[in-house]
Structure formats: structure tokens, C-alpha cells
Amino acid sequence: NLFCLYGNIVRIKLLTAKEGSVMIQMFDKLQADQALSSLNGLRVASNEVAIIYSKHPNIGDSNPVIVDSNGSYDSSNPNPICKDYTLSPCNRFSKQNILIYKHFYPPSSVIFFSNVSPTSTELTLTNLFSDLEAEKPIAVKFFQTSSPKKTGLIEFSSVENATLAIFLANNQRVDGYTIHLSFSASKLNSSEK
């Protein structure tokens, strides 16, 4: 959920010999560079994220479980060590000829949200984070747009709490819509709602 903010994920492999470690293959080097520079050293749930480049150029065939375009995969293997996300709807940067690198922002206490149901409210979003055991936002602001889907900003008390909120809630289904979260360069005055 954090790495997909900086590019498309091809595969993720759990490293069984190194507890708490994974290999993540990004779509290209620019996306991998952006993820490393933005996320290395970041604190998530009191743990520091440590990212290094692998000596392997890609994740080889490890009998990956394919995550399909609906976000589903074959559950006959309850604990796969490798998943292929090539077709995953969580990969946001799939359109050709768009400025995919325009909205890469470093971690901040303010999160941009999009693809939220027209019926969702501040309470809906607050409950989403509370239900996932993340900190309650200190401010939520909806933007006025012509789209029926809602967008806006959410502020948390710290970068670490905002990061955990994205880690837990990004790409979750809320009122029938898949919420998209990312760090924002915008500031949100917590006194404004």
C-alpha cells in the first residue's frame, strides 16, 4: 500500500529466511528510485522502513500467485510467498502518455484522498481509520468538484500516523468504492473543515 504510491508493483516476494523482509519489484528504475528516496527510513507502526537495492534485477519465477484485475487471487494457497501484481487495480500508473511522475510527494501528515462515494461523510472516513486501528484524523476537507466521486484532504497529527493510515486504508472498499490515498504537498489548516 505504500510502494504503490510511487509506481506500479510487478511482484512482491516474502523472504522466508529473513523475517520481516520482502523483495518488491517495481515497474521501472525511476519508480524504484522514487520509492526508495521517499520511504527509506520512514517509521510505520514504530518500525523503521529500511530499503536497499537488490542484487537481482527482477524477482524470478517463484510460482507467483497472480492478482487479477479485480484484486482477487487463487486462495487455494493461503500463504503464497510471491504475488504478481501486474494486473492489479492497485497499480495506478497504467495509462500511457500521462505524467505519471507528477504527483509523487514525500511523506507528510496530510493525505490526499480520491474515489470516495458521493454519500461518504467525514464520519465515514473517520470510522474507516478507527475501524482499522489507525489514529482518528484531526481534520477532513472535501473538495468541490464536478465529479460525483469525492476527493479531498485528511490531516493526521504526525507523518508516522498518516503513513500508518495509508498503510492500513489505501485501496480499501468504502461504501462500494475503492478509496485511493496518497501523501499530499498541500497543507491543511486543522481548524478548517
Side-chain angles (χ1 to χ4, degrees):
N1 272 345
L2 292 175
F3 281 80
C4 71
L5 302 180
Y6 299 102
N8 289 338
I9 295 173
V10 178
R11 287 186 176 175
I12 298 177
K13 180 178 182 177
L14 296 174
L15 301 180
T16 54
K18 290 184 175 182
E19 187 177 332
S21 298
V22 297
M23 284 181 66
I24 299 174
Q25 180 181 344
M26 302 295 287
F27 179 74
D28 63 27
K29 185 176 181 335
L30 184 59
Q31 293 176 7
D33 290 343
Q34 188 64 43
L36 185 140
S37 67
S38 296
L39 300 175
N40 191 40
L42 190 65
R43 296 197 66 74
V44 181
S46 301
N47 295 304
E48 185 173 310
V49 176
I51 304 170
I52 58 171
Y53 288 106
S54 172
K55 63 183 178 182
H56 305 286
N58 56 46
I59 297 174
D61 185 12
S62 301
N63 278 337
V65 172
I66 308 296
V67 178
D68 67 21
S69 60
N70 296 319
S72 304
Y73 62 91
D74 178 10
S75 59
S76 63
N77 181 355
N79 296 308
I81 63 164
C82 186
K83 289 184 184 178
D84 187 309
Y85 288 89
T86 307
L87 301 175
S88 173
C90 297
N91 282 334
R92 302 179 191 186
F93 306 104
S94 57
K95 295 180 182 173
Q96 296 296 325
N97 301 319
I98 63 169
L99 299 172
I100 64 171
Y101 307 109
K102 183 179 175 185
H103 298 290
F104 287 162
Y105 298 114
S108 70
S109 62
V110 178
I111 294 174
F112 173 77
F113 66 86
S114 62
N115 201 44
V116 172
S117 165
T119 61
S120 292
T121 63
E122 182 176 336
L123 182 61
T124 306
L125 296 177
T126 299
N127 287 343
L128 166 67
F129 296 110
S130 296
D131 291 349
L132 294 171
E133 299 183 9
E135 177 189 67
K136 178 182 173 186
I138 59 175
V140 176
K141 178 181 181 180
F142 288 96
F143 296 148
Q144 297 298 321
T145 66
S146 59
S147 171
K149 298 176 190 175
K150 291 184 176 179
T151 64
L153 297 173
I154 303 170
E155 184 176 7
F156 290 87
S157 65
S158 69
V159 172
E160 185 173 351
N161 286 326
T163 303
L164 181 61
I166 289 176
F167 180 77
L168 295 172
N170 192 25
N171 298 312
Q172 292 288 322
R173 299 285 293 173
V174 181
D175 293 339
Y177 289 72
T178 301
I179 188 170
H180 299 299
L181 303 172
S182 61
F183 294 110
S184 175
S186 299
K187 299 297 176 205
L188 180 61
N189 180 350
S190 57
S191 64
E192 126 187 25
K193 293 242 176 174

